[in-house]
Amino acid sequence: MAKFLTISDVADYLNVSAGQVRTLIKNGEIPAIQVGGRGQWRIEEAKLEEYVKRGYEATAKKIGSDFEM
């Protein structure tokens, strides 16, 4: 079963603000769902891990093949 994180959880994990996480969600960089009547965002832990992996891959492309992951 998937584990879901709050915006606050993701912000802490990435060491960014909650607003930055909301922007990543709205830009489609981190897939998320809204749950409940108040539309609270939840991010599946596996999707967050994929986002981080894509970030490493993009960085590796920018700086060349010498980059160690």
Side-chain angles (χ1 to χ4, degrees):
M1 178 169 262
K3 179 177 179 182
F4 286 88
L5 306 169
T6 66
I7 285 179
S8 179
D9 294 334
V10 174
D12 287 343
Y13 180 82
L14 296 174
N15 199 27
V16 298
S17 71
Q20 287 174 305
V21 175
R22 284 186 189 90
T23 299
L24 292 170
I25 291 169
K26 291 184 182 191
N27 289 342
E29 294 182 56
I30 297 179
I33 60 170
Q34 283 189 300
V35 295
R38 296 178 2 166
Q40 297 181 27
W41 289 103
R42 294 293 182 267
I43 300 95
E44 187 178 349
E45 192 171 44
K47 298 296 183 186
L48 177 58
E49 291 170 3
E50 289 171 11
Y51 168 76
V52 171
K53 183 179 177 188
R54 286 192 313 271
Y56 278 117
E57 290 168 353
T59 300
K61 281 184 180 180
K62 285 182 185 178
I63 63 173
S65 62
D66 293 334
F67 182 73
E68 294 285 329
M69 284 196 273

